[in-house]
Amino acid sequence: MPPRQRSSGATILAVANQKGGVAKTTSVASLGAAFAELGKRVLLVDLDAQACLTFSLGVDPDTVEESIHHVLLGQAELRDVLVACDDGVDLVPSSIDLAGTEAVLLGRPAREYVLQSALADVRKDYDVILLDCSPSLGVLTLNALTAAQGLIIPMPCEMLSHRGVGQLLDTVADVKKFLNKKLKVIGILPTLFDGRSTHAQEVLADVGERYGLPVLSPPIPRTVRFAEAPAVGRSILATSRSSKGAKAYRDVATSLVPTL
């Protein structure tokens, strides 16, 4: 029997889209910092072997001795790999070792529940846990969707970015049917939005109706400030506090608080 999902403790939100370059990691780091500003206890989990979230929060993936890889394979307890970050959040870091984790998990029974079990011991210590998923629909993303209560789908306001969202939603339907009946799609988070572009405005107007999903507001604007933040190991909320991007993520986080 798969382990039962805890009914108390942190709300777990997966941030997923199998398409790369959709501002997924930026959204996890920025929403995490915004929740922390609102007084929430926040844990971020890097589930991508590229370790972009880990690097973005000021942790060198090459110096990480134990990561989420070791946790998922039962070689370390999640509590023992936590890193406190300057943005007021805790991080479960990733490393290149995670590239081989899926191959090992494939041969294990109840493999989709490994992350849920690992998080169970720390859920009571946090108000919200954000899972930064890899750009694929493999075992690690399935683990995230199985552990989570909610899913946020970042999507650039470009027509080609629609491609793949339907496939992700098919996977979500399967997860809800077989693995996690409580999973709910919180909404699509429009990213890389250029308010001057008629095309971007048309995509923004179309996306909610196309998929029958809520669209989180406001859309996250396209700005170079997002690219500058990881260089100093902080989110845009720290490096450019008054920017439109920082304000947008604060507003989205505030709108999500009632769901936590």
Side-chain angles (χ1 to χ4, degrees), residues 109-127:
R111 55 185 172 268
E112 296 90 355
Y113 294 90
V114 175
L115 178 62
Q116 182 189 100
S117 296
L119 291 172
D121 290 337
V122 301
R123 276 190 69 180
K124 65 182 182 299
D125 300 329
Y126 297 97
D127 299 306

Side-chain angles (χ1 to χ4, degrees), residues 25 46 50-62 64 91 93-94 227-234:
T25 295
D46 192 344
Q50 298 179 69
C52 293
L53 178 63
T54 299
F55 178 81
S56 296
L57 293 179
V59 180
D60 183 352
D62 293 333
V64 171
L91 169 71
S94 180
E228 297 170 349
V232 294
R234 301 292 298 275

Side-chain angles (χ1 to χ4, degrees), residues 138-154:
V139 173
L140 294 180
T141 299
L142 285 178
N143 262 266
L145 296 177
T146 301
Q149 291 134 301
L151 168 65
I152 296 171
I153 305 173

Side-chain angles (χ1 to χ4, degrees), residues 142-220:
L142 285 178
N143 262 266
L145 296 177
T146 301
Q149 291 134 301
L151 168 65
I152 296 171
I153 305 173
M155 197 196 81
C157 293
E158 302 165 355
M159 190 56 68
L160 287 178
S161 296
H162 281 306
R163 296 169 61 92
V165 173
Q167 184 182 359
L168 174 59
L169 294 177
D170 288 343
T171 299
V172 169
D174 288 341
V175 168
K176 291 180 69 172
K177 184 175 181 180
F178 299 111
L179 300 170
N180 179 9
K181 290 180 172 57
K182 295 183 179 180
L183 179 63
K184 177 183 178 183
V185 180
I186 302 297
I188 290 175
L189 176 61
T191 59
L192 305 176
F193 179 69
D194 182 354
R196 301 167 299 177
S197 165
T198 301
H199 175 68
Q201 293 174 356
E202 289 173 347
V203 171
L204 181 62
D206 171 70
V207 64
E209 183 177 349
R210 179 181 294 247
Y211 297 109
L213 295 173
V215 177
L216 302 181
S217 182
I220 308 301

Side-chain angles (χ1 to χ4, degrees), residues 4-63:
R4 288 184 177 179
Q5 202 159 6
R6 289 170 61 100
S7 58
S8 61
T11 298
I12 303 176
L13 301 176
V15 180
N17 188 330
Q18 74 271 29
K19 190 177 187 299
V22 300
K24 180 166 42 61
T25 295
T26 296
S27 295
V28 171
S30 302
L31 287 174
F35 283 133
E37 283 187 356
L38 292 169
K40 302 299 181 183
R41 300 168 299 166
V42 182
L43 174 64
L44 309 183
V45 182
D46 192 344
L47 289 170
D48 189 347
Q50 298 179 69
C52 293
L53 178 63
T54 299
F55 178 81
S56 296
L57 293 179
V59 180
D60 183 352
D62 293 333
T63 65

Side-chain angles (χ1 to χ4, degrees), residues 226-260:
F226 288 122
E228 297 170 349
V232 294
R234 301 292 298 275
S235 76
I236 191 174
L237 275 73
T239 61
S240 188
R241 291 190 56 84
S242 60
S243 67
K244 291 181 179 179
K247 183 180 186 303
Y249 275 116
R250 286 192 183 97
D251 289 347
V252 170
T254 300
S255 73
L256 291 173
V257 165
T259 69
L260 302 181

